Amino acid sequence: MSVRRRSLFVLLLVLGLIAGSAYVVASKPTSLGLDLQGGVQLVYEAKPTKAQPTVTQEALDRSLQLVRQRVDAFGVSEPEIRISGNNPPGLEVNLPGVENADEAAEQVGSTAQLFLYDWETNVLDEDCRPNPTEKDGGVTPINGLFRAAEQASQCPAQDFPRSVAADAPRTYAFAANNQPLAEGQAFANEAEARESLSPAERRGAKFLTVPRGILLLRAEPPEPTEAQPDPPAPDRWWILYDRPALSGTDIRNPEQNFDQQATNEPIVTFDFTDRGRRAFQETTRNIAIRGLDNAPPGSNAIAASHQFAIALDDELVSKPYINYQENPDGIDGVNGAQISGSFTIDSAQNLANLLKIGALPLRLEVISRSQVSSTLGAQALDQGITAGIGGFIIVALFLLLFYRVLGAIAVGALAVYGLYFYALVKLVPITLTLPGIAGLILTLGVAADANIVIFERIKEEIRNGRSVGQAIAQGYKKAIATIADANVVTLLVAFILFLLATAGVRGFAFTLGIGVVVSLFTAVLATQAILLSLSGTKLLGSRAALGASDKPSRIRFDFMGKSRYFFSASGVILLIGALGIAGLGLNFGIDFESGTRITAPLERPASIEQVRGVLEEAGVGDATLQEVDNPELGDNVVQISTETLRPESVNPVNDALDARFGLVEQPTLETIGPTFGESVARSAIIAVIASLLIIGVYITLRFEWKYAVPVLIALSHDILITAGIYALADLEVTTSTVAALLTILGFSLYDTIIVFDRIRENVPRMPSATFSQIVNRSMSEVIVRSLATSFCSVLPVLGLFFFGGDTLKDFAFALIVGTISGTYSSVFIAAPVLSHWKSREAVYARRSARIEQEFGGVVPAYAVAMPGVPLDVE
């Protein structure tokens, strides 16, 4: 098959894909992430239970299935639920359109372990003894979790065969003022409890351990009222033996109904399994007999000590009485039973759904919780689209001005690339997030870089006297290795990010990887087919139209001779950055440090001090406040950053702000727990180290190990400079910053590979030259190409910086700094380090000695790159 016929075939394939992509774009919906449409994201860490003593993949899969059923019952449209990773293992739940993070967390992540207890025989007094002859065992609930845990810690451990809720010791963490930490959660031991706390919370924390078989049960909530239809859970606690008579596995067919015999209040009805029915009758018979025995002599009054208790996830739901006069032999359970209490219709329906779906095999602990308003989501989408269009226009203008006809072809290929990519997003489908849009915009630079490498090669071949057709063929042939090396490294970095990063960064990594693959198709196959098809036409007949002058315009500069100045400049910059990091430190965001961030759009103007006063009244006096300029949310937007707040602490803050200043809409919330923050930090460090190692291995395989060391030095140089500037500018370091750093590795390596690839090409062409002469000549040949690719890479980043909004501005800033640093290091650090190292090899040392003799002790900076021709200074 001829070259022209093959090119026409490729063009037909491209046109067919364009038609198919246009159809997909027109007919398929776009799946938007939470940051683009608003909603709630919950990240859970999976913890073992007695039924599932270890967190296995099978248990995670089963938990995922049950959570999905709960979300479906919750009525969420197009939720996204997945296993979040292995360190720590857990689930990530994205709920688009949901506005109440607390309700979502309770509905989705509740373990839903239901237990029924014979109440008076299990509830314990201050001496850890039950008293079945008195109502409530003759005791009252204890005020405060600390006092309850302190009293329970003195009780002896118990072994009960049916114990599930507290089968092992449970440890609670408290602050110095006895207030519960970690939302009052119970942990398997003190080490696990300590690990869950932030560094500030660990200082002065104290721990109390409740023995196995002893359960702390939160008292039942008060009756709902019109003023408070959903009253908060009380801070009152019972201590009891964990000796349940029945569990949730003993019931079936739970449904929300209404109590027709009383006040028509919402209830939950259910039937029993055969085993459950027998156990229920036996328990209620024992309660009825006890009530009869304790009844006052000769009285028709009903004795009080005849209750059974219903508990759900360590919270008391209700304590129904057993009427022993009507049921002297207990309740047979043939007609089922009911749970009544302080239910609303919604809460009764939620409980029925939880019981119907079943208990989770694992305990899910919320370690990250965020809520994005629909207004901010729509604003982020608009900013992302604007940044994408702006980035495309900037790159297109550069290509047209610098490469003329070739640039016009490249712009057309970029437009085709954008269409293909968007069609893939809709076809797969890929959930499009704001970091994903950033990845798409960055791949515009990657696609343009590939074209630049090819076009510069074509221009070089034309200057060497080849025809346009030959120049195109040779240009693609010589450029393909460089393009492959650079893009493979970018793919590897994207793969590492995808495996190790959190959800938002994972979306960026996925779109970056997909974009690189698609850009290779458009930049290599599509543009080559177009150029070869037009190679015999007048359009490509002029050198001027291709931007190729008759004479090469190499930059004559002794790069290697001046390397000491470059090293000194880098040393000064790194020293300043190191002093900045040591003195000022890095401003780690809540992604790493943990905490809560609330962005509240206020209806009425308020000063920072006024807002602080309201927060102090709500119990959040140590918050960091700043005004936010966001016209979409209004003129009075305040951002509140504080230590991690429990859900019950967030609602009072919102209510206080609403009462004092009014709220335009539900505030945006982001809460990161200490465990999640530590996981993010650990993953970030592993991602950076893994990226450097994989890059080093790849360069070693493609070149040799001596080429890999200068690359790693240059990349470390770029990371340290970026970190230093972040410290000096006091910019917040987030997971997006880590993504930017790893992307910088790819961009920096792109330039380095261009230089190293030309050095490798020139080594056999210059058999008499010193290694410094080879490097100098290679640098002079590719410096324009290297600068052009860097400039083109930074252009779409400028679109992100100027049009992407506050969310992407810091991310774009890191990329701009890193790209500039990467360009500098690839030319002035990596190549000189390689030259100094390789020049010590015996073969190059002999060449240097011979040339010094010929030129009177001076080695010329440049040598003719033609075998057999004596060395000469150009």
Side-chain angles (χ1 to χ4, degrees), residues 269-272 277 280 331-338:
T269 60
F270 54 86
D271 298 324
F272 292 103
R277 184 177 54 80
F280 184 71
I331 303 173
D332 58 21
V334 173
N335 296 320
Q338 69 182 43

Side-chain angles (χ1 to χ4, degrees), residues 9 50 123 147 167 189 386 388 461 508 525 668 724 769 772 824:
F9 175 78
K50 181 177 181 180
V123 66
R147 288 185 56 208
D167 56 289
N189 48 59
T386 302
E461 295 299 321
F508 164 80
L525 288 181
T668 296
S772 64
Y824 171 84

Side-chain angles (χ1 to χ4, degrees), residues 674-742:
T675 303
F676 188 73
E678 292 175 3
S679 171
V680 168
R682 183 168 54 248
S683 297
I685 294 172
I686 294 174
V688 172
I689 295 175
S691 297
L692 291 173
L693 289 176
I694 288 180
I695 288 171
V697 171
Y698 185 80
I699 295 298
T700 299
L701 295 176
R702 290 292 292 131
F703 295 88
E704 61 173 280
W705 70 271
K706 286 187 177 181
Y707 282 74
V709 174
V711 167
L712 296 179
I713 292 174
L715 295 180
S716 302
H717 167 276
D718 300 336
I719 293 175
L720 291 174
I721 284 181
T722 305
I725 291 178
Y726 255 69
L728 293 172
D730 194 31
L731 295 174
E732 188 177 69
V733 178
T734 65
T735 52
S736 295
T737 309
V738 176
L741 287 175
L742 293 180

Side-chain angles (χ1 to χ4, degrees), residues 559-560 563 566-567 775 779 825-837:
F559 295 96
M560 299 304 101
S563 60
F566 306 143
F567 293 155
V775 173
M779 297 277 285
S825 66
S826 64
V827 175
F828 302 114
I829 300 297
V833 169
L834 176 66
S835 176
H836 284 295
W837 198 350

